[in-house]
Amino acid sequence: MTTHPSRPDSLESVLAQAVDAAGITGRVVVPGGSSSPALRLLGPRRLPFALTVQAARKWLADHSIAAAAEIDEADELVITPHGGGAVHRLIDRLLSPAIRAGQAAEQLWDALGRHDLTADVSVADTGRVTVELRDSDLESAVALCALLGAEDIGDGLRLHRPRGMHQLATRMGLLLTGAVGRGVTVEADPGCAHADAGVRVGLSVEQASQLAGKIAARPVSGGELPPDGTVFAPHGPVPVQIGATSPVSLLADGGALGDDYTTKATSAGLYDFLLGGVDHYEPDRAAGRDIHETAKWIKTAALINRAFTLRSVEFSLGLGVRQFLDLGCGLPASANVHEITDRTGVALPVVYVDRDPGVYAHAKCRLDGRDGVTVIQADILAMDQLLACEAMRAGLDLDQPVAVLAHGVLHWCPDDAAVTSAMAALRAWMPVGSTLSISHLTDHWHPATMPEVVATYARHGLDVRPRSREAILEDLFGDFTQQERGLTATGRWGAPGPHALRPEEHSAAFAGIAVKPASRSPRLIGPPRGRGAAGLEIGR
């Protein structure tokens, strides 16, 4: 059997697109001597039958699909439809339900994310959508119920005890049944020393879509505004708004995508795939699936890293920092930096930087002309050029502190000397009182499997460089003053969040936020009222 490029309107292309959208573990092939496509199934994920010839043939017969089911020379199950009508019927009966389930799960995940509810939303092999809400004291589960009008659902319950958790699950089951109909399942999981307690909700595809719609219709709360009109600032007024510039490219090609952009994996597309986004291509999905075979923690690590962005921005806002530089910003994902800062009620200055042409294209379409937002396509290893460009000078006020985010980007730069030099230039440029937030892949918890992970990335054309805790701390942060508990597993940084009780190895990365000190050592003071972030008093 062979695979080869197909015309956009060919049966092979139509079937391949449906397989990708359905999320099943398989690929489209063309049997030797045949012009009709076949479906090679590599795993049981989201299949309504067991991965055997007998089960497949029975399912095909039950659904009146004219197709053969055989084991090929690679000992894998191959379904070969007889003609175009059978291909379309296979798509309609086998793949379309999984596609609809995936779309419903994505809608629900996005709706929850808009309200800052971090949840694992997935599609089970049965076709049902599963939502897992895990954090201390079941705060996310209670918050979900509040969005449905049951703010007092946890009243009188000891949610830190198994009995209270199961009582909450019973109440949630009744609430969700009233909201989306019968058939909802809600189970409580008390957790253990290495995992958060949680609630697991099972929904049909239609119920998941209904729930997503109800949640999306609820207004997004920005919190209770203090008298000065800001949410987070414990110090001083918001600085004068800096004017944003139109998107600008510092690269020689001017931001062009190129003819081969969709034919190779990219770090941005891979990350989007792992987060459950939609802005990726088959090479990104293939890379993600291959890496997941070696590193089962890879998707969880991506979700933990994304959640760190929210905590990082809130922490810097809590210190009174009012402008942000996001290095290696990646494709749009909830919630983006400017969406978090918007909760202050003011369009604060945000500069996004990424060298990926796909990221730049998305940014030009979505952010051009938005108040306070500047987009720059640049190589962060050419740091001096980036920091000196007109767009950077127009986008940020260097008389004020800047919050710099470098989340999940520096490990894509394998040249240690170049990274160290770029970060030294960045730290020298940052005003006193600025915050530097970094998350970085490490082999600290996975010394045995990380070489294979790195090799898998390389097979897909992606160079990745895990670094040690010492290298991250010394070469990237330099002499900046670490905050909170210092450089630690990404999921453990700061106030307890949705991933705080996951094993550290699930993060697979270190994260930290550090402040640029003045001429003498800074002194940590108490956190702002109502916030977990530490305040900072800089010596003059």
Side-chain angles (χ1 to χ4, degrees), residues 400-427:
Q400 300 284 344
V402 179
V404 178
L405 284 67
H407 294 172
V409 60
L410 295 173
H411 54 240
W412 298 110
C413 307
D415 187 331
D416 291 342
V419 170
T420 300
S421 176
M423 294 304 293
L426 175 67
R427 294 194 304 271

Side-chain angles (χ1 to χ4, degrees), residues 86-383:
V87 170
H88 289 291
R89 191 168 181 83
L90 182 67
I91 292 173
D92 181 63
R93 298 302 176 89
L94 178 63
L95 304 178
S96 291
I99 293 172
R100 289 193 293 271
Q103 291 170 339
E106 182 180 323
Q107 292 167 1
L108 183 53
W109 184 83
D110 183 66
L112 291 167
R114 289 178 185 275
H115 292 274
D116 295 332
L117 293 181
T118 302
D120 289 332
V121 184
S122 59
V123 179
D125 291 343
T126 59
R128 285 175 65 82
V129 175
T130 300
V131 182
E132 290 198 39
L133 299 145
R134 294 185 178 275
D135 50 35
S136 59
D137 293 332
L138 302 182
E139 293 173 355
S140 294
V142 172
L144 171 59
C145 295
L147 289 175
L148 299 176
E151 292 85 354
D152 58 349
I153 195 165
D155 287 1
L157 301 181
R158 297 183 178 181
L159 296 180
H160 59 286
R161 298 288 184 86
R163 178 178 175 83
M165 296 174 190
H166 290 295
Q167 288 174 326
L168 176 66
T170 299
R171 293 183 184 182
M172 283 187 68
L174 295 173
L175 175 66
L176 289 169
T177 297
V180 298
R182 294 182 179 276
V184 176
T185 61
V186 182
E187 300 174 346
D189 179 1
C192 62
H194 303 292
D196 289 336
V199 170
R200 184 181 300 106
V201 179
L203 304 157
S204 69
V205 173
E206 292 74 17
Q207 288 171 334
S209 294
Q210 289 181 51
L211 184 58
K214 289 180 180 292
I215 295 172
R218 298 288 296 176
V220 177
S221 172
E224 183 179 349
L225 293 176
D228 64 357
T230 63
V231 176
F232 299 102
H235 317 299
V238 174
V240 175
Q241 176 66 48
I242 304 301
T245 65
S246 297
V248 59
S249 176
L250 303 183
L251 301 186
D253 59 9
L257 282 171
D259 296 335
D260 62 344
Y261 182 77
T262 63
T263 65
K264 57 186 180 182
T266 66
S267 58
L270 172 60
Y271 189 48
D272 181 76
F273 170 67
L274 295 173
L275 290 176
V278 296
D279 296 315
H280 50 260
Y281 297 94
E282 172 52 29
D284 305 311
R285 296 189 285 272
R289 289 191 289 263
D290 282 356
I291 295 165
H292 186 264
E293 286 299 313
T294 302
K296 299 299 183 183
W297 41 262
I298 190 69
K299 180 177 176 62
T300 301
L303 293 169
I304 290 173
N305 187 71
R306 192 63 203 174
F308 177 62
T309 296
L310 173 64
R311 301 203 303 283
S312 173
V313 174
E314 288 185 341
F315 184 87
S316 292
L317 286 168
L319 294 184
V321 182
R322 288 295 178 271
Q323 45 187 352
F324 292 80
L325 171 59
D326 189 357
L327 299 175
C329 58
L331 290 159
S334 182
N336 299 290
V337 173
H338 70 277
E339 293 171 328
I340 303 170
T341 61
D342 279 351
R343 299 171 195 172
T344 64
V346 179
L348 300 180
V350 177
V351 176
Y352 288 114
V353 178
D354 205 295
R355 70 166 296 151
D356 186 285
V359 173
Y360 184 56
H362 276 281
K364 285 195 295 184
C365 291
R366 301 186 185 195
L367 297 176
D368 190 10
R370 188 193 182 281
D371 288 345
V373 174
T374 300
V375 178
I376 304 174
Q377 185 188 27
D379 184 347
I380 64 172
L381 294 184
M383 188 64 74

Side-chain angles (χ1 to χ4, degrees), residues 452-475:
E452 186 176 354
V453 173
V454 172
T456 305
Y457 276 113
R459 287 198 297 272
H460 290 273
L462 297 171
D463 292 328
V464 67
R465 172 75 165 96
R467 291 185 170 92
S468 67
R469 185 179 186 278
E470 293 71 23
I472 297 168
L473 194 61
E474 297 173 7
D475 298 339

